[in-house]
Amino acid sequence: MKVGLAQIRPHLGNVAKNIEIHKQMIKQAKEEGVELLIFPELSLMGYNLLDLTYDVACTVDSEEVQEIISESKGIDIAFGIVERSPDHILYNSAIYASYGNIQYVHRKVYLPTYGMFDEARYFGRGEKIRAFDTRFGRVGMLVCEDMWHPSAPYLLAQDRAELLIVLANSPARGVHAKGLGTQDSWDLILTSQAQFYGMCIACTQRVGTEDGVTFFGNSTAVDPFGDTLVQGPLFEESLVTFDVDLDMVQRARFTTPILRDENTDLVVRELTRIQQHRRGE
């Protein structure tokens, strides 16, 4: 399959403009034979929304969201929105669309509240981490900070995900002689998790600047052996494409059978013990 990482520069709070950016990138991706196109976190709204968050929020059935979903004919699309739930809670959500329909919605579970981040002030926390079936195979989705918690890719691997999609908005921090500190951190996380669990991982990062915060791009795909397949440029908009054969997952898991040997009963038992101890039970 051919996958595209849509490394775009969203306009903060301008949903109409961002819809056009999405459509242009989808058109380009189709022309290049891309079968799955992945946008960054909150791609339809921009990231640092603050008090604009409620103003731009929409339901998964809204006209704005459905306009992008309708483009998923002949190409699967993963993109990010501020989702307003029926009970009026806002979520930082990722949508996977295929054949003109929503196939899955992942609500970001881990909301950072350190450094420049204050997501928990505006968003509710997702309560599920689950894989789902697509026409390409079994897929899992995470949103940015989710990937920094080892339990998240672990759960998706145990749920038989072969491809892990990560929608991210990571700011550029820690400049040094070899590059960016955040870039190094993401490279380490993606390559190690792919190798641990024998999964392909495709991570799309955005570019651009919002209120003095600069996002660095460098969207990355890693094969299930932990080798980098492709990386996007720093600070530039780009459609980054790569070919992946999910049969590699089978070979990787046979060669290094970490998932096969994992003792989930032990993990559940010990986590239950730890949780009970923390509760004083």
Side-chain angles (χ1 to χ4, degrees):
M1 61 184 291
K2 187 170 187 178
V3 181
L5 309 178
Q7 187 168 293
I8 62 171
R9 186 191 307 265
H11 292 250
L12 185 63
N14 192 335
V15 177
K17 179 65 175 177
N18 291 332
I19 287 174
E20 291 307 309
I21 292 173
H22 280 62
K23 286 183 174 181
Q24 292 168 11
M25 187 62 77
I26 292 167
K27 181 176 182 293
Q28 181 182 346
K30 287 181 176 179
E31 291 172 350
E32 295 189 21
V34 170
E35 298 168 276
L36 167 61
L37 182 63
I38 304 165
F39 286 91
E41 175 184 10
L42 292 174
S43 58
L44 206 59
M45 282 82 182
Y47 180 74
N48 200 29
L49 292 160
L50 304 178
D51 292 339
L52 284 175
T53 306
Y54 188 82
D55 293 338
V56 300
C58 52
T59 68
V60 295
D61 297 320
S62 69
E63 181 179 344
E64 298 92 336
V65 173
Q66 289 299 317
E67 196 167 349
I68 302 301
I69 292 169
S70 67
E71 297 284 329
S72 66
K73 297 170 183 176
I75 184 172
D76 287 13
I77 303 169
F79 64 103
I81 69 166
V82 177
E83 178 198 357
R84 185 173 69 247
S85 71
D87 50 353
H88 309 297
I89 298 174
L90 304 185
Y91 293 98
N92 182 339
S93 296
I95 293 175
Y96 188 103
S98 181
Y99 295 109
N101 295 294
I102 293 177
Q103 193 154 357
Y104 192 77
V105 178
H106 171 72
R107 291 170 172 171
K108 188 174 184 178
V109 173
Y110 293 105
L111 305 174
T113 56
Y114 56 87
M116 60 159 280
F117 304 108
D118 197 14
E119 290 188 29
R121 178 180 177 184
Y122 301 97
F123 295 112
R125 185 171 65 183
E127 297 292 339
K128 296 178 182 178
I129 296 177
R130 297 179 183 176
F132 56 98
D133 293 318
T134 72
R135 62 192 177 107
F136 307 113
R138 196 151 172 84
V139 171
M141 282 199 306
L142 297 175
V143 177
C144 206
E145 182 79 6
D146 291 341
M147 192 65 195
W148 287 66
H149 292 257
S151 58
Y154 175 85
L155 288 170
L156 291 174
Q158 291 298 327
D159 205 14
R160 299 182 293 109
E162 301 168 295
L163 171 65
L164 173 53
I165 294 171
V166 183
L167 294 77
N169 280 342
S170 191
R173 291 180 295 182
V175 179
H176 54 70
K178 294 182 180 180
L180 298 169
T182 42
Q183 180 184 7
D184 291 346
S185 296
W186 273 103
D187 286 347
L188 178 61
I189 290 169
L190 296 174
T191 55
S192 61
Q193 296 300 311
Q195 188 173 23
F196 286 159
Y197 304 123
M199 291 191 295
C200 296
I201 302 181
C203 175
T204 302
Q205 299 269 9
R206 62 159 291 175
V207 294
T209 300
E210 291 178 356
D211 292 338
V213 178
T214 299
F215 301 90
F216 69 92
N218 197 226
S219 301
T220 302
V222 182
D223 74 16
F225 295 98
D227 295 324
T228 300
L229 293 169
V230 71
Q231 285 192 309
L234 290 171
F235 307 114
E236 297 178 14
E237 291 181 282
S238 178
L239 173 60
V240 183
T241 65
F242 64 97
D243 293 307
V244 62
D245 181 0
L246 291 183
D247 286 343
M248 294 177 67
V249 172
Q250 179 181 340
R251 296 197 297 273
R253 291 179 179 178
F254 178 79
T255 303
T256 311
I258 293 175
L259 277 182
R260 183 201 68 187
D261 297 341
E262 182 71 13
N263 189 338
T264 54
D265 289 338
L266 180 148
V267 172
V268 171
R269 184 172 64 249
E270 292 303 306
L271 283 176
T272 300
R273 176 187 61 80
I274 292 167
Q275 187 179 53
Q276 290 172 345
H277 176 75
R278 288 178 175 177
R279 291 174 175 172
E281 297 177 7

